[in-house]
Structures are given as C-alpha cells and as structure tokens.
Amino acid sequence: MTLSTSGPATPERALSTPALSTPARSTPVPAGTVASGVEFDIDEFGPHFGAEIRGVDVASATDDEVRAIRAALIDYKVIVLRGQDLDDAAHIEFGRRLGDLTTGHPVWNSGDVPAEVYSLDSTDNGFADVWHTDVTFMPRPPMGSILRPVVLPRNGGDTNWADAELAYRSLSEPIRELVDKLSAVHDGSREFGYYLKQRRGGRGNVWDGKEVTDLPPVTHPVVRVHPETGRKSLFVNPGFTSHIEGVSDAESRGILDLLYAHLTKPEHIVRHRWRLGDLVLWDNRNTLHYANRDYGDNRRVMHRITLRGDEPIGPRQP
C-alpha cells in the first residue's frame, strides 16, 4: 500500500498529526493528514494496528519524513523499518528528531554504551519474557520506545505487541464502566529493587532530572486516556502492576487476571521476527510487549532508547 500524507484523508489510511485528536484508524471518521508531501509504502500487519514502512532510511530522512513517521506511530502504534544501518549514535540522533529522550533505564547499568541506551543482553539477564509496558513503575513512563537488534540468535527471540486500546474497546460495556473508575499500583522494586540496592549501591540513573535511589510504588489509572488522540486504553501489565487500589486482594487478582487474559487474546496481538538492520518503534502509552525466550543458550542483544513521556491521566481525572 502506498500511503500519501499529502492527499485527502480516508478512514482506513489517514495518518494523524501528533497534535490532532483523531479516532482509531478502523473508525469510519476522517482523520487529519500530515501536509508534507511524503508518501510511504505501508505493509499493515493486521486490520487494527502494526505496520512496516518500506523505503525509508532514517539516518538520512528529511524532517517531513520524520514527522510522517511519528504520525504513523500514533496511527499504527507499532512501526517496523527494515534495512537500517545504525550505530548507537545514529539510533539516538533519530530518537531526538522524534522527541526528548530519557536515560536508557532508571536503574540498570548497561555498561559501555551512551547514557540514552538500555542494552538488553541475554547473557546478563536481559530478558523481557513477561508482558509489560516499559517503565510504568515511574511517575512519568516513556511515551515510546525505539528498539534495534545488535546480536540475534539464528532463530527465535521474536517480539509480540498487544494493542491495549483495542483491548479496551472490545471489553463489554459493564467492564469498561468498572475499570474506568479504578487505579492500580505499579512497583518496580519487584523486578529491579534488589539490583538497585545490591549491584548499584542504591544509586541508579538520572530519570526526569533526579537520581533514582529507591523505587517507591506509583499509582496510575487502570484506563489511560491517550494525550494525543483522546482514546482510552488499558494501562496495566503483569510485569509491573502489583494490585488494584481500593479492593480486596482476591478482587484485585480477579480483575487483573481478567484484563491480562483479555489483553493477550490473539486478535489483539502482532508478532515481529527480527532481522539485523531492523528498527521498531512503539507507542508505550497504549501497548504491551513480550519477547520470546525460546533461543536457549544463544545470545540476543537489543539496544533500546525511550522517548520522554508524561504522567498518565485517566477518564475520571481532570
């Protein structure tokens, strides 16, 4: 499919600008377009989200192309670009053209890489084989993530993404009304607390201008309103969400189990098989992801940078 960002919008093919509040791509209401004269060859992964953009070299992309890529990210939630010849410096430079960058991770020491890079090395517990949304245990989780492979096993190590916006829309109305009212606690100490205390001596990295010395739990709405589109999505994940506030432990487990089972239904998921030269962007505000750990003792190294986000807002918040 050729997708022009300068022609008239159509319900299925329009790219929305970051500042516009537009309906979901599958909703029969025209969306905004990027008036940049850019055309992309788009291979959609499915009827609802995920797409590969072909024929773009991000290292030499024009400003119009970068704006259109960001618009496509908002529209498709997960974007794959293949054949990209990037090192860490070029990876970071592209990220800066999309938005402000965070440090690579609040607490993890990735070694001899730039501060903006989070290196996930399978030889040093760099696994992501649990459904999660990046860094939701901080007050301002990243807006988005940009990931590229550095070392890949011969096969295996695919990454899956779940569309939390689609999952919210496909809940029954009574359940939507219930979860709209709820908040959940996200706790990074379960995954990174021991590491921060024992391997970093209680001194993590700088996140949002402050050195991370502990990981107190934070509360976010169970349903998040996307700050650029106004659409709702489920904002809980098995990796970092510990419990629902204001209900019993049994009720919390029941609600979260229901939501996790619903989020990860096959019709809510796309899957990517990695090749060297791939670059994948995703919107961290309305997706979860899971990296398959099916490659045995083979090594897998991925480098990720993240775009600075804002504080999640729910439907019942001003």
Side-chain angles (χ1 to χ4, degrees):
M1 175 190 300
T2 298
L3 194 155
S4 171
T5 61
S6 59
T10 61
E12 294 82 9
R13 301 183 181 182
L15 289 181
S16 52
T17 60
L20 288 174
S21 177
T22 59
R25 187 164 48 87
S26 57
T27 310
V29 181
T33 60
V34 180
S36 59
V38 174
E39 288 190 355
F40 286 149
D41 181 14
I42 300 285
D43 182 14
E44 297 179 339
F45 291 167
H48 298 291
F49 83 117
E52 178 183 345
I53 295 179
R54 297 168 172 165
V56 177
D57 176 15
V58 301
S60 61
T62 66
D63 290 344
D64 283 344
E65 287 175 328
V66 172
R67 281 192 291 269
I69 289 170
R70 194 188 187 286
L73 174 62
I74 302 305
D75 198 49
Y76 287 102
K77 305 182 186 74
V78 178
I79 295 292
V80 173
L81 300 116
R82 293 195 185 267
Q84 307 300 315
D85 184 16
L86 302 176
D87 58 12
D88 285 337
H91 190 175
I92 292 167
E93 176 60 25
F94 174 63
R96 285 181 175 147
R97 297 181 71 188
L98 291 171
D100 294 333
L101 298 185
T102 68
T103 52
H105 192 273
V107 302
W108 193 265
N109 180 7
S110 290
D112 189 20
V113 296
E116 296 87 352
V117 173
Y118 178 32
S119 179
L120 293 105
D121 188 335
S122 62
T123 64
D124 188 23
N125 295 312
F127 304 110
D129 56 337
V130 62
W131 283 104
H132 67 285
T133 299
D134 288 334
V135 199
T136 62
F137 55 87
M138 298 300 285
R140 289 162 51 101
M143 164 262 167
S145 299
I146 309 174
L147 186 68
R148 81 180 209 278
V150 178
V151 177
L152 287 175
R154 185 176 66 85
N155 49 41
D158 295 0
T159 300
N160 310 268
W161 283 268
D163 185 342
E165 181 184 307
L166 175 61
Y168 174 82
R169 291 204 311 269
S170 61
L171 286 169
S172 65
E173 184 176 352
I175 300 300
R176 288 200 304 270
E177 291 178 355
L178 169 66
V179 296
D180 275 350
K181 306 171 186 176
L182 299 176
S183 296
V185 174
H186 297 241
D187 188 354
S189 65
R190 301 189 305 169
E191 181 71 19
F192 297 109
Y194 180 86
Y195 175 88
L196 174 62
K197 183 177 180 180
Q198 299 299 325
R199 291 184 59 178
R200 298 300 307 273
R203 299 191 64 179
N205 302 317
V206 175
W207 189 271
D208 280 339
K210 180 181 178 182
E211 183 181 56
V212 177
T213 57
D214 60 356
L215 294 170
V218 300
T219 300
H220 296 311
V222 168
V223 175
R224 181 175 188 175
V225 177
H226 197 288
E228 299 185 45
T229 68
R231 298 192 290 263
K232 297 179 182 179
S233 62
L234 295 173
F235 198 66
V236 290
N237 67 89
F240 301 123
T241 304
S242 61
H243 63 279
I244 303 291
E245 281 194 330
V247 300
S248 70
D249 289 345
E251 290 169 330
S252 175
R253 288 194 300 271
I255 293 168
L256 289 174
D257 285 347
L258 181 155
L259 295 179
Y260 295 157
H262 184 71
L263 277 160
T264 56
K265 290 173 67 174
E267 55 265 41
H268 299 153
I269 293 173
V270 295
R271 176 169 173 166
H272 176 62
R273 184 174 186 181
W274 292 96
R275 298 199 299 248
L276 291 178
D278 287 354
L279 189 69
V280 178
L281 300 72
W282 65 90
D283 193 329
N284 202 55
R285 299 165 294 190
N286 51 18
T287 63
L288 298 82
H289 54 284
Y290 179 107
N292 294 356
R293 189 177 174 182
D294 55 357
Y295 41 89
D297 294 331
N298 294 297
R299 192 180 184 198
R300 181 181 186 268
V301 181
M302 313 293 284
H303 281 191
R304 187 195 77 191
I305 63 174
T306 48
L307 299 165
R308 191 176 308 280
D310 49 18
E311 185 177 349
I313 299 297
R316 300 303 176 95
Q317 295 173 265

